[in-house]
Amino acid sequence: MKKFIYIVSNHLIMMKYFFRFAPVYFIVNFLFCIYVSFIDMLTGAYSIKYIFNGLSEGKSFKELFTFLGFVSLAMLVRHILGAISAEYLSAMGWVKLTAGMKKLVFEQARKMDLIYYETPKFYTDFVWAASQADEKMGEMYNSWCVFVARLSDLIFFGGFMIANDVVLMLFAAVLILIRLVLNSIIIKLRYKMHVEAKPHERERDYITRVFYLADYAKEIRLSNMHKTLFKRLKDTMSRIWEINNKAGKKITVLWIIVSLSTDGFLDFFIYTYLCFKTLVRKTLKFGELASLTGAVWNFAYRAVDFINVLTDMGEQSLYVDNFREFLAYRPKIECQSGIAAPDEPTIISMKNVSFKYEGADKYSLKNINLDIKPYEKVAIVGYNGAGKSTLVKLIMRLYDVTEGEISMNGKDIREYDTKSYRGVFGSVFQDYKVFAGTVAENVEMNFVNDNRRTDIVNALNQSGFEDKLARLKRGIDTPLTREFSDEGINLSGGEEQKIAIARIFAKKCSCVILDEPSSALDPISEYKLNQIMMTMSEHKTVIFISHRLSTTCMADRIIMLENGEIIEQGTHNELMSMKGKYADMFNKQAEKYHMA
């Protein structure tokens, strides 16, 4: 009983969301399900009894005609309500429900701390629940409607049977008990199968994405990577097959037992009992026999449907647990309230900062001590994996430090309101993204107000996008990508980077962070762009990462990282005179340019 209550309570939680997003459809369809059950009993068992007994008892044609007229009117109302519910309210309700659920999920997902995207468990648990929210809601609502309908059926048909023969309810009770026990075992087997298969399904879905995404098209066609992917897909599908095969055999056996025990019980014992009362005991009239036969059949099979829907609801309830956990998540970083961050550039300090990613054995950064002064231009350099990008992500509080402290203006950055603190920074990362929106929306990264259009155009001109913009017929209203518009354009890698860099010029911020945003540009274009950025950011703090050390000459100070530690720092001339790691890296790059 506790389990039943828990399953229903889980469904009620989800139905509250349904009622919240589509209340009219929810109420009308809920009442319609009850009404249909009443009509089924009225037009079935009760009508058979009334007509058969009426004929044998000599009721007048007028009485039978009046009764049949009432039944026909009730059926007409049923069809009208059914058409309204199915063809109009359903379409409108599902649109509202889908929109509401997606917004609910997206708002929650948006608050997820970035560190969760680094762990496979996040995808297995949270993303699994979030990505299937509207789909599962649809399944659960359908189950809920069947639950209400079948429960109404059991009440109406059960009431009819109790009024005519209480013993029939004992047969139904045995039927329900057998079904409950066996179905509870089936639920656990199915859920276990889904849990075991989910990681392999994620790998299958990844391989599927790789084959249809344009990002991978060239590499697949110019290499033999498809062979490796095919092999992985074959192995993955084999593992899924083994899991499904193992569980499927057990579930099949249980369903055979269910079918034999319930259908055999129903067909033999119940009908034998009714025939005995009619032919031997002679306590049932033929009208009652006919009506009870129909009632028993309807009650029994609706009881089976009721148990089946409880099975589905039990299985769906397990997904609700994941969804509730997803909605109950409270981020440690995102949406944190606190004091307002300063508007003007101020000192940023890192004291004994160390950081290790979730589940990692090694520290990505170790014992970092660094002060970045207001208006200072700081370059962070080092080989791949040195910890450069991790360092700037910590400064922007995309992650929290594992050890130590980062402060701004003398206050721990964890004391600041997250949104206010992030507003201090204008940033472009090497893995920037361009969205399927207009040029203006991709620069503003928000809705575009008319009073911002001039600022957006100026930002694009400053980023070097001026010539391309002049050739666009719709200017900053040109859609990017052709995913949703035939008028959309696909930009080159360099042009996309200029769009991303324009975001910095369009944003009012006191600190600029650049994580190799110009890597797709040629060295001359990159040099010119960096000069522009330094000029435009004269009254801002600038922190930039670059593999091309020719640009670091513009920095007031250069920080050299290796294996997550600061090994050298100073001006370009100071580091060159030290003849250390930085000087060696710079000279090697300079030799390549001379050779070219």
Side-chain angles (χ1 to χ4, degrees):
M1 190 64 182
K2 288 182 179 179
K3 186 175 181 180
F4 172 75
I5 294 173
Y6 178 75
I7 290 172
V8 173
S9 67
N10 258 356
H11 272 255
L12 285 174
I13 289 171
M14 300 305 286
M15 290 308 103
K16 287 179 183 177
Y17 288 114
F18 199 114
F19 180 77
R20 171 180 162 188
F21 298 130
V24 175
Y25 177 59
F26 182 87
I27 293 172
V28 171
N29 208 43
F30 178 83
L31 295 176
F32 180 68
C33 288
I34 299 174
Y35 182 71
V36 168
S37 295
F38 169 74
I39 294 299
D40 286 346
M41 188 276 297
L42 177 67
T43 58
Y46 187 80
S47 292
I48 291 172
K49 177 183 177 182
Y50 186 89
I51 293 171
F52 272 65
N53 286 350
L55 291 172
S56 62
E57 293 170 1
K59 287 185 182 291
S60 67
F61 175 78
K62 182 180 179 180
E63 287 180 288
L64 293 174
F65 181 80
T66 302
F67 173 77
L68 291 174
F70 172 77
V71 172
S72 297
L73 180 61
M75 284 291 294
L76 181 63
V77 172
R78 170 188 173 173
H79 291 309
I80 292 173
L81 290 176
I84 293 172
S85 178
E87 302 302 330
Y88 177 71
L89 293 179
S90 175
M92 302 299 291
W94 283 111
V95 170
K96 290 181 178 179
L97 173 68
T98 302
M101 288 301 295
K102 286 190 180 297
K103 183 179 179 182
L104 178 72
V105 169
F106 293 162
E107 283 293 330
Q108 181 69 0
R110 184 182 62 85
K111 296 184 290 186
M112 290 286 187
D113 291 339
L114 193 62
I115 196 167
Y116 281 88
Y117 288 86
E118 310 288 345
T119 59
K121 188 178 184 301
F122 173 81
Y123 288 97
T124 302
D125 294 339
F126 294 125
V127 174
W128 183 16
S131 63
Q132 296 185 3
D134 53 340
E135 178 187 341
K136 287 297 176 185
M137 173 64 87
E139 293 178 9
M140 293 182 72
Y141 183 68
N142 289 334
S143 294
W144 179 252
C145 289
V146 175
F147 173 81
V148 171
R150 295 295 83 84
L151 182 61
S152 301
D153 289 336
L154 295 181
I155 292 172
F156 288 125
F157 283 103
F160 181 82
M161 285 194 298
I162 289 173
N164 290 273
D165 196 315
V166 179
V167 176
L168 290 175
M169 294 301 296
L170 297 177
F171 288 105
V174 174
L175 174 70
I176 292 172
L177 182 62
I178 294 172
R179 199 80 184 208
L180 272 174
V181 172
L182 295 177
N183 279 17
S184 64
I185 300 173
I186 291 172
I187 289 175
K188 293 177 182 178
L189 286 173
R190 277 182 178 168
Y191 184 71
K192 182 182 178 182
M193 177 180 69
H194 290 320
V195 170
E196 289 179 358
K198 199 62 188 178
H200 306 300
E201 289 173 353
R202 284 204 300 110
E203 185 174 3
R204 176 201 62 195
D205 294 342
Y206 165 76
I207 296 169
T208 302
R209 288 199 310 273
V210 167
F211 274 101
Y212 73 71
L213 288 178
D215 297 351
Y216 301 92
K218 293 190 294 295
E219 282 78 2
I220 287 177
R221 282 154 181 77
L222 296 173
S223 70
N224 288 319
M225 189 61 189
H226 66 279
K227 295 181 180 179
T228 302
L229 292 172
F230 283 147
K231 177 63 167 57
R232 286 181 61 183
L233 180 61
K234 181 180 178 181
D235 293 343
T236 298
M237 295 305 296
S238 294
R239 288 191 290 270
I240 294 173
W241 184 88
E242 288 172 3
I243 293 169
N244 289 351
N245 181 56
K246 181 180 177 181
K249 289 178 179 178
K250 295 179 181 178
I251 293 173
T252 300
V253 171
L254 286 172
W255 271 119
I256 291 173
I257 296 172
V258 168
S259 300
L260 290 176
S261 60
T262 56
D263 291 351
F265 181 84
L266 175 69
D267 293 339
F268 182 76
F269 290 102
I270 292 180
Y271 289 135
T272 299
Y273 169 75
L274 289 172
C275 290
F276 175 79
K277 289 199 67 175
T278 304
L279 300 174
V280 179
R281 299 289 298 274
K282 300 187 184 299
T283 55
L284 287 181
K285 298 177 182 178
F286 280 103
E288 291 170 338
L289 171 64
S291 64
L292 282 174
T293 300
V296 170
W297 189 92
N298 278 289
F299 184 89
Y301 278 95
R302 279 166 168 78
V304 170
D305 282 346
F306 184 73
I307 300 304
N308 287 341
V309 78
L310 284 180
T311 301
D312 294 337
M313 291 175 71
E315 190 171 347
Q316 291 156 1
S317 179
L318 298 171
Y319 291 96
V320 178
D321 291 337
N322 288 338
F323 187 70
R324 291 174 67 177
E325 184 180 353
F326 173 73
L327 291 183
Y329 170 80
R330 294 296 178 267
K332 297 178 182 178
I333 299 177
E334 302 301 322
C335 304
Q336 177 181 304
S337 59
I339 60 177
D343 295 327
E344 297 298 321
T346 184
I347 188 169
I348 300 172
S349 298
M350 306 183 78
K351 296 181 179 178
N352 302 318
V353 167
S354 296
F355 177 76
K356 182 166 60 175
Y357 284 100
E358 185 82 13
D361 296 326
K362 296 172 59 178
Y363 280 89
S364 298
L365 292 172
K366 292 177 287 186
N367 199 34
I368 301 294
N369 288 280
L370 177 66
D371 290 334
I372 300 174
K373 301 173 184 176
Y375 309 106
E376 189 176 17
K377 314 305 185 232
V378 177
I380 301 174
V381 301
Y383 292 105
N384 289 337
K388 305 183 296 297
S389 295
T390 301
L391 181 65
V392 296
K393 288 175 182 177
L394 289 177
I395 291 174
M396 296 182 69
R397 209 190 168 202
L398 293 173
Y399 300 100
D400 272 337
V401 298
T402 305
E403 299 170 12
E405 178 186 285
I406 302 177
S407 63
M408 174 180 281
N409 200 28
K411 295 184 181 295
D412 192 316
I413 62 174
R414 288 171 287 197
E415 296 181 25
Y416 290 107
D417 178 271
T418 305
K419 186 176 181 180
S420 174
Y421 179 76
R422 298 259 179 84
V424 168
F425 302 96
S427 60
V428 180
F429 291 98
Q430 57 184 324
D431 54 352
Y432 64 89
K433 298 297 179 185
V434 171
F435 296 89
T438 65
V439 171
E441 289 168 344
N442 270 279
V443 174
E444 187 74 347
M445 298 296 280
N446 202 340
F447 296 110
V448 179
N449 297 322
D450 290 339
N451 60 356
R452 288 284 296 159
R453 293 177 68 86
T454 300
D455 293 333
I456 291 170
V457 171
N458 291 336
L460 288 164
N461 292 339
Q462 290 162 7
S463 72
F465 197 75
E466 184 176 10
D467 293 340
K468 181 67 176 181
L469 184 62
R471 297 195 298 272
L472 300 179
K473 293 180 180 180
R474 296 180 59 180
I476 61 173
D477 296 316
T478 302
L480 295 184
T481 79
R482 293 181 179 175
E483 188 160 355
F484 304 112
S485 173
D486 292 335
E487 297 180 359
I489 61 169
N490 293 317
L491 301 177
S492 67
E495 289 167 343
E496 287 186 349
Q497 281 195 325
K498 291 174 182 178
I499 292 282
I501 291 167
R503 294 167 184 166
I504 295 176
F505 295 128
K507 183 178 181 180
K508 295 179 181 179
C509 58
S510 61
C511 182
V512 173
I513 291 183
L514 307 167
D515 186 354
E516 298 193 90
S518 53
S519 59
L521 303 178
D522 61 80
I524 295 175
S525 297
E526 180 186 38
Y527 182 78
K528 290 179 179 179
L529 180 61
N530 285 335
Q531 280 188 317
I532 294 171
M533 283 194 289
M534 289 301 179
T535 302
M536 296 300 299
S537 304
E538 182 180 357
H539 300 295
K540 299 178 181 180
T541 304
V542 178
I543 304 169
F544 67 94
I545 296 172
S546 178
H547 274 107
R548 292 173 183 164
L549 300 189
S550 57
T551 61
T552 60
C553 300
M554 303 176 187
D556 299 324
R557 185 157 48 118
I558 301 166
I559 310 297
M560 177 81 177
L561 289 177
E562 186 175 78
N563 296 324
E565 299 181 86
I566 298 176
I567 58 170
E568 295 175 8
Q569 62 176 304
T571 65
H572 172 73
N573 291 333
E574 288 172 347
L575 293 181
M576 291 301 292
S577 65
M578 288 172 57
K579 297 182 179 180
K581 293 288 184 70
Y582 173 82
D584 181 60
M585 183 186 294
F586 185 89
N587 289 328
K588 286 180 179 177
Q589 287 194 9
E591 287 176 5
K592 292 180 180 179
Y593 286 120
H594 286 309
M595 290 173 64

